[in-house]
Amino acid sequence: MRKGTKRKATRKEEDKPAEPKPKEAPSRAKRTKVPKPESEPEYFEDKRNLEDLWKAAFPVGTEWDQLDSVYQFNWNFSNLEDAFEEGGKLYGEKVYLFGCTEPQLVPFKGENKVICIPVVVAVASPFPPSDKIGINSVQREAEEIVPMKQMKMDWVPYIPLEKRDSRVDKLKSQIFILSCTQRRAALKHLKIDRVKKYEYCLPYFYQPFKEDEFEQSTEVPIIFPVDPKPVFCEFDWELDELEEFTDKLIEDEELSESQKDAFKDFVKEKVREAKKANREAREARKKAIEEMSKETKEAFEKMKFYKFYPVQTPDTPDISNVKAPFINRYYGKAHEVL
């Protein structure tokens, strides 16, 4: 190889134009972070200790298909809660609560509506006011007084919110609610008559120091079974004369002449049964008082009933004109309406 060949070759490499460098991607301008405006802190109102007390007390006697409508409004029972605070009507008392509902025509948002108003009755008593339930309606021939447990009801302790993490067996509850364990989902498997019984239930109370309406009543409901339809009426053995009463039914074509004697015998028998029942009730009440301890007598005499309606709020119907002291046929009137 001749000298200089390699040098020439190297020079040729040097004489080559330099290859252009790949262009660098233009650098992106850095985005300036705009600080987010500080959001207002959210405040959640603390739950009140007895906030769900009114809901826990089963609304006895309310039709099953009306139960949901009872809770369509955010009813406020802070008056009931306050009654358990120091200085309140129920402070330091042993109390038994049951719920009920009162359908009433009341104004709401410019129009009158029939609303199922929830009511809570509080019984201040050292012992349960009763372990029985009354079942009655205009459709039923006779009133029934049955044990609560037969209708899956019982008095159970109410646990305030702040104590629900504690062991229930160690709590000394002063508040008891009438609870029902009958599940609505299971109703479809029950007979209609059984389902209807729940709708005719009334919390039962027997006051031994006071004659009830049955002991005082002289009226007898009559359902005389004849064709083509039974005769429905009420006979008052003090005010009505049987012969005239029967003739009036015949005149009104409620009864035929041929049925007159049978009807009179039927009424006489019903009157005898009613008088006997009244007499036995008076005797039973007298015996109960004689056998009662002094402490129990004092408890019955001091027992008080309080009836609580919801407190008026802007988003609930106006119920101010429908509040009434009457509780039911067994309890009579409340000592105080709140």
Side-chain angles (χ1 to χ4, degrees), residues 35-69:
K36 292 182 180 178
E38 289 187 15
S39 58
E40 288 289 326
E42 288 188 70
Y43 295 99
F44 296 96
E45 194 173 329
D46 290 337
K47 283 188 176 291
R48 303 186 302 274
N49 196 30
L50 305 178
E51 188 171 350
D52 64 348
L53 177 55
W54 76 271
K55 289 182 180 179
F58 181 67
V60 186
T62 305
E63 294 183 14
W64 292 101
D65 58 0
Q66 293 295 314
L67 276 179
D68 289 335
S69 70

Side-chain angles (χ1 to χ4, degrees), residues 5-39:
T5 307
K6 188 174 182 180
R7 191 179 295 118
K8 284 180 181 177
T10 304
R11 190 175 290 138
K12 280 184 181 178
E13 291 290 330
E14 290 173 355
D15 291 342
K16 278 185 181 179
E19 289 184 10
K21 291 182 179 179
K23 289 184 179 179
E24 292 183 6
S27 62
R28 291 184 181 179
K30 290 185 178 178
R31 281 188 289 184
T32 308
K33 288 187 179 179
V34 180
K36 292 182 180 178
E38 289 187 15
S39 58

Side-chain angles (χ1 to χ4, degrees), residues 165-217:
D165 292 333
S166 307
R167 283 182 56 182
V168 175
D169 59 341
K170 288 194 174 183
L171 293 174
K172 291 184 178 178
S173 182
Q174 288 290 98
I175 306 175
F176 294 82
I177 53 172
L178 184 54
S179 175
C180 179
T181 58
Q182 174 62 58
R183 294 183 300 113
R184 290 173 69 183
L187 291 174
K188 58 187 175 184
H189 303 300
L190 301 180
K191 291 182 179 179
I192 293 295
D193 184 58
R194 172 72 176 173
V195 174
K196 286 293 180 186
K197 276 187 176 183
Y198 281 97
E199 298 174 2
Y200 300 144
C201 281
L202 290 176
Y204 179 76
F205 178 72
Y206 175 65
Q207 170 54 278
F209 296 101
K210 181 181 176 183
E211 278 191 326
D212 64 24
E213 61 181 276
F214 299 109
E215 292 175 59
Q216 300 170 352
S217 176

Side-chain angles (χ1 to χ4, degrees), residues 9 21 62 68 72 94 114 116 119 124 138 151 203 217 219 221 226 233 254 262 280 291 303:
K21 291 182 179 179
T62 305
D68 289 335
Q72 66 178 310
K94 198 169 201 176
V114 175
C116 231
V119 177
V138 292
M151 301 304 294
S217 176
E219 286 187 348
V226 291
C233 57
E254 294 287 328
E280 289 176 349
E291 295 176 351
M303 196 178 288

